[in-house]
Amino acid sequence: MEQQDFIGREAVASKRKQYFYPCTQHFYRDAPQLVRGSMQFVYDEKGKSYTDFFAGVSVVACGHCNPAITARTIEQLQQLQHTTTIYLTQPSVDLAERLEEVMPGDLRRTFFVNSGSEANEGALLLARMYTGRKGFIALESGLHGRTNLTMSVTGLPMWRTDKYLDHDVEFIPRPYHQDLSLEEAASLSLDSLERVLEEKGNTIAAMILEPIQGNGGMIMPTRSYFRDVKALLERYGVLLIADEIQTGFGRTGKMFAMEHFDVVPDIISMAKALGNGIPVAAFATTDEIALALNRPSASTFGGNPVSAATALAVLDYIRDERLPERSVELGERLKAGLEALQARYPSLIIEVRGTGLMLGAELAGADVEGAAALTDQVLETMKDRGYLIGKNGIGRNVLAFQPPMIITEEDIDGMLNVLNEVLAEHNH
């Protein structure tokens, strides 16, 4: 497409305002119209390039329009585009088989859907079917989706839109608090979990949690926390659901983030990076638990030939390019650079958190609004200088670094140098 064919950022923003719901927001005061992507880069309608350090919130983990993946997507698209699960096709069963090979423990049964919300909804339903119980436990500041039930177990207030959410959810403190050590915060969370289980354990189907809270601000607990959680849940026959929507498929240095904690969940949900931009998601479990989901069910588009073929290409690319190992190496470089900036600007950066290529830098301000405003200013200036960074956290004041795993050392060093310049401008 020629440059003159683009309607431009102002026209796109105007049409969004005219035809989208008002809940649909976008980053930046002067938001570019993104028209093309190539690996770690995206380009706007004026031809300017941006190095992407957010990857659509961990989605394009193998790079934008990665030719090794898109070639197989196109090949399948031209061969057989769509059938549902009432017909026999090979890509979806091949994908299920491959997932069994990379999932931890004895997780091997997979139900394919289209999005992370749908995957978590299915996981919660499965837990209810298996246990015969209705209630759930979730962590404060977690995010699990935008359906009614997944919103009900979401602990971030800004994402709890529905006024009529399910009341059979018990929230406990997350294993993080800025005024406590990680060990103290974990102990506080575990004490709360034990109290809930003692009081209502026989009514609880499952506990759902993110191994690393992404939207909650890149929160990673102590290594022992999830082992202690699993042991408590097992005493009461409560299942553990690991929401690996953001953390799955190598970003944290492991194929799934729960592997950092040597814990195998009872149910695992996945999406985002699995399709590298093509909608595909799933929830998976053991042979035993899967037997509970036995009444007729289907997902019209879930695991369709194109999404399944794409996901298979993604898994091949992750394996062949050693992306989990790459995430460890590059993540250490990026984290060390961010920590150096924290040491240089202690009044601006409160803390650097996360692991692999899933990192956050929490910014400070005179108050919550001031920290959020500073974050927006940093994002805007970094965008103007050619770098796209995300934001998250309870106060929306955490810079989020979740780049494609094919990012280079030069990209990281270049971004850190520009971020240093931007922070220097705000260091009064």
Side-chain angles (χ1 to χ4, degrees), residues 79-100:
Q79 183 173 335
L80 179 65
Q81 180 176 355
H82 174 74
T83 65
T84 68
T85 51
I86 62 175
Y87 302 105
L88 298 182
T89 58
Q90 185 172 335
S92 60
V93 296
D94 285 350
L95 178 57
E97 184 177 35
R98 284 290 302 280
L99 287 173
E100 191 270 342

Side-chain angles (χ1 to χ4, degrees), residues 334-357:
L334 176 56
K335 191 171 189 178
L338 293 172
E339 288 173 339
L341 291 177
Q342 180 190 6
R344 188 172 301 158
Y345 306 108
S347 64
L348 295 180
I349 300 179
I350 299 172
E351 189 175 20
V352 175
R353 298 187 291 263
T355 191
L357 287 174

Side-chain angles (χ1 to χ4, degrees), residues 94-105 107-108 255-256 259 312 315-316 319:
D94 285 350
L95 178 57
E97 184 177 35
R98 284 290 302 280
L99 287 173
E100 191 270 342
E101 295 172 2
V102 301
M103 287 189 295
L107 301 174
R108 64 186 303 266
M255 187 60 76
F256 292 97
E259 296 176 73
L312 283 164
L315 292 176
D316 285 348
R319 177 198 62 206

